[in-house]
């Protein structure tokens, strides 16, 4: 392991994240739409991977570096395009509008504390396996190929789930109905489950060195974010308010995260 190179890599990624989120914040202020950051969350990881790939030239196994770059880029760019298409023409997300109503102090300071600074820190922490993997000289081996397989399962789950939901929403006949078909019959959040699995796959690709074990913090942080803060918790509170008993019935028969066969009768939420 080239530890000095990796340390420099973290500094370079920090600098790249500062510029990236600084530009995003300036654009968001100009257009009065802070929710554009959601579109650029996935591509932010692509930036971390590109910076790490370029900085690690000559320091790690070329195949591992190429695979990690490719998998991160495919995941991050697909997510960015999907959210961009989904949000197009809808203005600022209500979550951000509500947040901005509680603004205190200067606008820039508030945005750094509540949105851009926080997401910058998360970007650095969650991308640590990607950064570390670039400096590992070991060949992919069994764990590396297992990581690719796990990533593929997660990516397909997330992409298929998103596609099924988009198709469901396009049909006017489904207005006001709850999506409970396809993968959504097995878990209430196939996209969040897939996202988490993707990052466990990338973590496995960072196990070419024993220190990679410590980067398990990355998929754990991603999972906690999706389950407790930015994803599942917020979405389900909103759905319970707007869909009432119908959504409660969906909760009763459908797993909350891990895919499981639909229950035939209410037994409590998973």
């Amino acid at each position: 392991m080239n530890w000095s190179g990796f340390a420099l890599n973290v500094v370079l990624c920090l600098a790249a994240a500062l510029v990236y989120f600084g530009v995003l914040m300036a654009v968001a202020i100009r257009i009065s739409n802070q929710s554009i950051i959601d579109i650029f969350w996935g591509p932010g990881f692509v930036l971390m991977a590109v910076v790490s790939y370029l900085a690690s030239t000559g320091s790690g196994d070329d195949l591992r570096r190429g695979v990690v770059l490719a998998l991160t880029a495919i995941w991050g760019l697909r997510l960015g395009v999907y959210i961009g298409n989904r949000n197009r023409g809808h203005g600022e997300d209500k979550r951000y509008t509500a947040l901005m109503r509680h603004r205190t102090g200067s606008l820039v300071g508030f945005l750094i504390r509540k949105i851009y600074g926080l997401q910058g820190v998360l970007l650095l922490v969650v991308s640590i396996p990607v950064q570390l993997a670039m400096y590992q000289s070991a060949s992919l081996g069994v764990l590396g190929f297992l990581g690719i397989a796990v990533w593929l399962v997660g990516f397909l789950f997330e992409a298929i789930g998103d596609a099924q939901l988009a198709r469901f929403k396009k049909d006017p006949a489904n207005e006001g109905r709850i999506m409970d078909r396809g993968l959504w019959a097995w878990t209430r959040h196939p996209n969040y489950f897939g996202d988490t699995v993707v990052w466990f796959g990338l973590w496995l690709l960072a196990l070419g060195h024993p220190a990679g074990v410590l980067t398990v913090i990355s998929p754990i942080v991603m999972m906690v974010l999706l389950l407790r803060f930015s994803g599942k918790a917020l979405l389900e509170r909103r759905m319970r308010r707007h869909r009432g008993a119908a959504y409660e019935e969906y909760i009763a028969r459908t797993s909350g995260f891990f895919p499981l066969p639909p229950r035939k009768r209410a037994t409590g939420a998973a």
Side-chain angles (χ1 to χ4, degrees):
M1 266 298 285
N2 179 358
W3 287 109
S4 60
F6 173 65
L8 176 60
N9 192 97
V10 174
V11 173
L12 291 173
C13 283
L14 173 60
L18 286 172
V19 173
Y20 184 71
F21 284 112
V23 171
L24 275 179
M25 182 172 65
V27 172
I29 291 173
R30 185 173 181 82
I31 66 175
S32 299
N33 186 348
Q34 303 304 324
S35 59
I36 64 169
I37 194 172
D38 290 347
I39 299 171
F40 292 95
W41 170 246
F45 289 97
V46 182
L47 175 63
M48 297 297 98
V50 169
V51 169
S52 301
Y53 181 82
L54 295 175
S56 65
T57 302
S59 295
D61 177 68
D62 286 341
L63 180 58
R64 184 185 298 272
R65 291 171 59 244
V67 167
V68 171
L69 174 63
L71 298 188
T72 306
I74 292 169
W75 171 80
L77 293 176
R78 187 213 71 87
L79 183 61
V81 169
Y82 172 76
I83 295 177
N85 287 332
R86 185 192 67 187
N87 293 358
R88 185 171 53 200
H90 293 289
E92 185 174 63
D93 189 294
K94 293 179 181 178
R95 294 171 300 160
Y96 290 93
T97 302
L99 176 64
M100 295 304 292
R101 293 196 193 104
H102 296 89
R103 170 190 159 188
T104 57
S106 70
L107 174 60
V108 171
F110 179 80
L111 291 176
I112 290 173
R113 292 193 310 273
K114 296 296 185 178
I115 302 177
Y116 300 93
L118 177 60
Q119 295 221 19
V121 171
L122 291 173
L123 184 72
L124 280 175
V125 171
V126 176
S127 68
I128 281 294
V130 171
Q131 297 182 50
L132 187 65
M134 298 289 187
Y135 288 85
Q136 297 176 1
S137 57
S139 60
L140 281 178
V142 174
L143 282 177
F145 285 104
L146 177 61
I148 295 171
V150 170
W151 177 93
L152 182 60
V153 170
F155 180 79
L156 290 175
F157 230 94
E158 184 176 5
I160 292 171
D162 283 343
Q164 288 176 339
L165 181 60
R167 192 181 313 118
F168 178 83
K169 287 183 174 180
K170 280 183 180 180
D171 187 346
N174 294 324
E175 181 68 29
R177 297 177 62 187
I178 294 168
M179 172 54 163
D180 59 356
R181 309 169 189 174
L183 295 179
W184 298 82
W186 289 69
T187 166
R188 302 197 297 274
H189 304 283
N191 47 351
Y192 298 154
F193 171 76
D195 204 324
T196 300
V197 173
V198 159
W199 281 94
F200 271 105
L202 290 170
W203 169 66
L204 287 169
L205 280 159
L207 297 184
H209 186 280
V213 173
L214 300 177
T215 67
V216 72
I217 188 66
S218 164
I220 290 175
V221 166
M222 181 65 87
M223 182 168 62
V224 170
L225 281 173
L226 293 172
L227 290 179
R228 300 297 181 189
F229 296 100
S230 64
K232 180 178 184 286
L234 285 177
L235 177 61
E236 295 203 341
R237 279 200 297 270
R238 187 169 73 245
M239 291 296 288
R240 277 180 157 129
R241 285 197 306 269
H242 295 161
R243 297 290 185 262
Y247 195 72
E248 294 293 344
E249 291 175 5
Y250 177 55
I251 288 176
R253 66 177 182 270
T254 311
S255 171
F257 187 66
F258 295 102
L260 294 171
R263 290 182 286 268
K264 293 183 179 180
R265 58 180 181 175
T267 58

